[in-house]
Amino acid sequence: MPKHIANDPADLFRHVSAEKAAFYRCIMDVFAAAKRQYRLQLRPDEVLAEARWPDGSPRVEEVNAALGQLAEWGNLESHPDTARVSNLSDFYRARFLYRLSPGGEAVESALAVFVQTLQRRAELQTVALEDIASRLQALQALAGTDEPDVAKIHETLRDLVRVFEGLAENAQAFMAGVARSIELQQAEAGAVANYKKRLIDYLERFMGDLVRRSDTIARLILALEPSIDALLGQVAERESRDAAPGGAQDQSDARDRVLQAWCERWKGLRGWFLSTGHEPPQAELLRARARSAIPQLLAAIAALNERRSGRSDRSADFRLLAGWFAACADNGEAHQLARAAFALNPARHFSLNAGADADLPASTSWADAAPLRIHPRLREYGEAAPRGPLPRVRDRAEDRAFLALQFAEESLQVEAARKRLATSHPARLSDLGELDTHAFGLFLGLLGEALSEQAGPEAPIERQTGDGLLHIHLRPLARDSHARIDTPHGVFAGRDHLITITPLQDGR
């Protein structure tokens, strides 16, 4: 009979924090490797020979004692070893074979997963977006057949969920760790500069793929909406056959549980790429979080430069400010300088007498306004609790509808401006003619993104916009060339350039 002492399950982890923890871990690593090699049992001399001892090979007596202690804690099971008995004294001498116990095997698996999780580097998986799109296309093709193959549908859905869960987990872990990575990179200027370049390139590539793939994935999800309930029902029916082999009622309950789980997974996938109510899709939030990481990195670089240049002298700053005050022509200029220097802006928006201040402009001076009535409770406790019932919640449905209409109109105008500029054909700036407000705003944004990457005034520029929607190629023309663009806000003029704006389609 195997020698195994079943104690509290917490004893299975005692070897991790024991006094000779490193010694015990060397022994357990040998048994974990033997398990992977399909070896059932080990002798003490085999453990002694195969373990990687940190401080040199110990004596076999120490190994025997450690094996016995691990068996007592429940990590190992011991069996009498009678294979090497050659005489009566060997028979009466205690010899054991050891193997992992079920509890010890569970502990080793958990520790392996724990170490793997700590060492795993989260990543933004552009390949996962492509895999999700391909799985959805395969699912759409299966749903369109006269007799859908439930086994293939089940397999496709499992692959889809596995890829999507990996994408979501890795994206969440990556974005949570970006700020920490930026902080760790602030130690050395060279490391910050290299990290900045790699991170910005990495984020721009992912955002471009996310923008291109998200639209395709969203269209595929919408195309599957009419048939997805039937597909999930067939998959739940197939999966519940093994989950509930009992009576008809048990199988029906199991089918309902499995169907609910699949519906939740599909809802999570749908919420990642399609908006739900007033909530934007998770992919849009991820894109915004990825874009916000770039200003964080730039702020880290600014802080590093500030540390390298040293702190400014506060007294010198105040002396310089005093000189500026002394140079003011009148009190009006002095008041403007004070507001700019100390952020002394009007605070009429902070109202204590809502009824009296309802029609009072925010620019009204406190000296010209009606006196404020300060409640004694505000003076004593720092807060003035309103009397009577709480005010009714204001219905914002009309405001939201108005904002949605405004947003839709602006989107149409921006899209029209994009279609006018993004022609995929080279054009001179001087040939653009007159641009309206939205087209000129888009043009300025594109021009600013392109010129920010220009190596010199004569160098051509080729880059992808930060949102991943457009590709810009800008080439300067002759020095004496001149371009003039009329806008509602005035005239934009300067050196002429040859510009090509190309919309990026899916898969490019």
Side-chain angles (χ1 to χ4, degrees), residues 135-189:
R135 299 301 189 279
L136 289 172
Q137 289 172 352
L139 196 62
Q140 187 178 17
L142 291 171
T145 58
D146 296 334
E147 296 182 1
D149 190 336
V150 181
K152 290 185 178 180
I153 293 174
H154 195 184
E155 180 183 1
T156 305
L157 279 172
R158 280 200 302 260
D159 290 345
L160 176 63
V161 169
R162 176 180 55 80
V163 174
F164 172 67
E165 287 178 350
L167 170 67
E169 292 176 2
N170 279 283
Q172 182 180 5
F174 179 86
M175 300 319 300
V178 163
R180 180 58 178 166
S181 299
I182 292 173
E183 293 174 3
L184 294 177
Q185 294 290 342
Q186 292 187 31
E188 186 178 344

Side-chain angles (χ1 to χ4, degrees), residues 436-474:
D436 59 20
T437 302
H438 296 281
F440 182 64
L442 176 62
F443 169 75
L444 279 184
L446 298 177
L447 191 63
E449 287 196 52
L451 294 178
S452 65
E453 298 288 335
Q454 190 175 24
E458 304 298 330
I461 314 154
E462 186 173 0
R463 64 157 295 165
Q464 179 179 318
T465 57
D467 57 8
L469 296 177
L470 300 173
H471 181 272
I472 310 171
H473 184 274
L474 189 67

Side-chain angles (χ1 to χ4, degrees), residues 190-259:
V192 172
N194 293 332
Y195 185 69
K196 167 200 168 185
K197 176 68 175 174
R198 287 185 284 113
L199 178 62
I200 291 179
D201 291 344
Y202 185 74
L203 291 176
E204 285 186 345
R205 178 168 58 86
F206 174 75
M207 285 189 293
D209 289 339
L210 182 63
V211 169
R212 292 194 298 271
R213 297 288 181 186
S214 294
D215 184 58
T216 301
I217 293 174
R219 290 200 304 267
L220 290 171
I221 291 175
L222 290 175
L224 281 167
E225 287 290 314
S227 57
I228 190 61
D229 292 337
L231 296 179
L232 295 181
Q234 293 172 356
V235 169
E237 183 70 30
R238 181 175 187 267
E239 192 171 329
S240 63
R241 294 172 190 169
D242 294 331
Q249 185 61 36
D250 294 338
Q251 189 170 0
S252 176
D253 294 342
R255 181 188 181 281
D256 293 340
R257 290 194 300 270
V258 173
L259 180 59

Side-chain angles (χ1 to χ4, degrees), residues 45 75 160 225 254 256 288 313 318 352 392 409 469:
D45 55 347
N75 298 88
L160 176 63
E225 287 290 314
D256 293 340
D313 187 357
F318 280 124
L352 295 177
R392 297 181 60 185
E409 292 178 355
L469 296 177

Side-chain angles (χ1 to χ4, degrees), residues 287-298:
R287 177 186 166 200
R289 182 67 181 88
R291 295 188 68 177
S292 67
I294 297 178
Q296 289 181 17
L297 180 59
L298 297 179

